[in-house]
Amino acid sequence: MDSHAGPLNVRPSRIEQLEADFASLAPQLSDSAERKALSVLHGMVQELWRIQVSGNARQVRSGPTIDDIVDLHEHAPPMEGDAVNTPLAAGEPAPDFALPDANGRTIRLSDYRGRRVVLAFYPLDWSPGCSRQLDLYQHELDEFRKRGAEVMGISVDSLYSHGAWAAVRGLTFPLLADFNPKGDVARRYKVWREADGFSERALYIVDENGIIRHAQVSPKLQHVPDIYDLFSALDQLATPKAA
Amino acid sequence: MYASTYSPFAYRPQVADVAVYGSRWCGITMMVRRHLDRAGIPYRFIDWDLHPEARDQLEWLAGGRIGSPTVTIGGQVLVQPSLRELDWALSRAGYR
């Protein structure tokens, strides 16, 4: 914390004193309904504080808003399950494909020779883990570009679903529709879940020559790949030659 | 009986400690951690898949309902905060 500590030290605020007191009392209370009630009350105080200070109190309104649509994934049915596939191996050529993006443009992997590509296979638009994963990548586009990499999302959703989903989430990188034949590209990349009708959550890093350099399938559908590991995998590739 | 755990003469640094509790595979947790990284704010990350005991005290503080991530900033406990809420809490704790 030193880098952010200013030249002055100040006394603990009253709320911090109270918080410390509250925290220290926990070990002195045995498990009971009273202990649980005190804990619940404390949780309520924290939530009220959070809502009031951040201005997030729900306004009375007549219908759903864009924010409600953006947040749909927070209340959507969970998507869970173990991985059932092993991805193609690093060192193999990445199968070429031509898929439409949300604007109807055809995106060919082979058009990206000379650049690194992160192919993010994800199960479905609008679902819980996928919304968070792709939000994360949108926030990190500069980090990917610094590493000479383009990001593409691929799922079996139609280009119209991709368009709506990208619009409400503010996603600007290509979302490719592996829609017809359904899941054909996911099958060729060995990440298709036949019983579910969608792909694994899987990442491929394809290098400047179209060779797979990194491949992973999340061990569980709900597991978003660690972004720090992804950056590390990109960093471990040789620096691309200057054009 | 009110009994402060702080000495009346104790002082604290100008900003509060930040700790992020959660799972490495959780998208919101990564979003929060990267937000703190970009802001240059030091924090402790506690992987509660590896340290499940860390959940007990958090559950006490949050009324038994915690989610990944739960962020503590000084006396504030934020369960799955939005980045906006996180910034609010950080500013209250002395971060600019």
Side-chain angles (χ1 to χ4, degrees):
Chain A
M1 307 302 291
D2 290 346
S3 61
H4 286 270
L8 297 176
N9 283 337
V10 295
R11 289 174 187 278
S13 69
R14 179 161 169 73
I15 189 71
E16 284 174 311
Q17 292 180 38
L18 291 167
E19 279 292 340
D21 293 342
F22 186 82
S24 69
L25 284 168
Q28 301 175 39
L29 297 172
S30 55
D31 280 341
S32 65
E34 287 79 7
R35 184 184 193 278
K36 176 70 176 168
L38 285 169
S39 172
V40 168
L41 277 172
H42 184 266
M44 291 169 66
V45 169
Q46 287 286 339
E47 282 304 302
L48 286 171
W49 189 17
R50 164 176 164 172
I51 289 168
Q52 288 194 334
V53 300
S54 65
N56 269 6
R58 294 277 178 185
Q59 303 292 315
V60 176
R61 54 172 191 263
S62 59
T65 66
I66 290 291
D67 285 342
D68 292 322
I69 305 298
V70 171
D71 294 341
L72 273 177
H73 68 280
E74 294 180 5
H75 312 288
M79 174 178 283
E80 296 175 344
D82 293 331
V84 297
N85 288 284
T86 302
L88 297 173
E92 292 187 39
D96 197 19
F97 57 74
L99 291 175
D101 69 6
N103 296 309
R105 294 174 306 192
T106 298
I107 304 290
R108 288 183 174 78
L109 182 63
S110 54
D111 290 342
Y112 285 77
R113 291 290 185 273
R115 283 176 281 176
R116 292 170 181 163
V117 176
V118 174
L119 292 177
F121 286 89
Y122 63 93
L124 289 171
D125 293 347
W126 307 101
S127 63
C130 305
S131 298
R132 288 163 185 150
Q133 181 181 9
L134 274 65
D135 285 354
L136 180 65
Y137 294 168
Q138 180 65 33
H139 276 78
E140 303 294 353
L141 286 185
D142 284 347
E143 292 295 323
F144 287 117
R145 287 183 186 128
K146 266 194 248 175
R147 293 166 169 83
E150 306 277 342
V151 181
M152 297 179 194
I154 303 181
S155 79
V156 292
D157 297 275
S158 75
L159 63 91
Y160 300 108
S161 175
H162 278 340
W165 194 52
V168 298
R169 310 210 72 74
L171 305 177
T172 59
F173 55 90
L175 300 182
L176 308 184
D178 193 12
F179 184 74
N180 185 27
K182 189 181 181 190
D184 179 59
V185 174
R187 288 173 212 272
R188 288 196 280 134
Y189 277 80
K190 307 292 186 195
V191 293
W192 179 248
R193 296 172 66 94
E194 182 66 35
D196 292 315
F198 51 70
S199 80
E200 305 275 12
R201 193 179 307 284
L203 287 178
Y204 282 93
I205 298 176
V206 180
D207 73 9
E208 298 84 348
N209 301 310
I211 303 298
I212 294 169
R213 300 296 296 274
H214 174 87
Q216 69 180 91
V217 169
S218 288
K220 291 184 179 297
L221 270 178
Q222 66 271 30
H223 285 199
V224 175
D226 189 313
I227 191 76
Y228 296 95
D229 289 345
L230 177 54
F231 290 155
S232 176
L234 285 165
D235 289 338
Q236 285 171 17
L237 300 185
T239 305
K241 292 175 184 170
Chain B
M1 177 70 74
Y2 182 85
S4 171
T5 56
Y6 282 89
S7 154
F9 302 106
Y11 288 85
R12 66 176 171 90
Q14 195 168 13
V15 290
D17 285 337
V18 179
V20 180
Y21 298 79
S23 299
R24 290 185 70 208
W25 51 264
C26 166
I28 316 174
T29 301
M30 284 183 256
M31 189 81 87
V32 163
R33 291 178 64 194
R34 290 290 300 139
H35 188 71
L36 294 171
D37 290 342
R38 278 192 288 269
I41 294 173
Y43 63 92
R44 286 182 300 125
F45 172 60
I46 298 92
D47 182 345
W48 68 23
D49 292 330
L50 298 178
H51 301 283
E53 71 282 1
R55 298 174 66 111
D56 293 342
Q57 184 70 357
L58 280 181
E59 287 177 354
W60 164 247
L61 294 174
R65 294 178 185 274
I66 56 175
S68 180
T70 296
V71 184
T72 59
I73 303 172
Q76 303 174 79
V77 181
L78 297 102
V79 179
Q80 295 187 329
S82 68
L83 298 185
R84 183 164 167 252
E85 289 170 333
L86 187 62
D87 285 341
W88 261 103
L90 288 166
S91 67
R92 289 172 59 91
Y95 291 96
R96 287 188 297 134

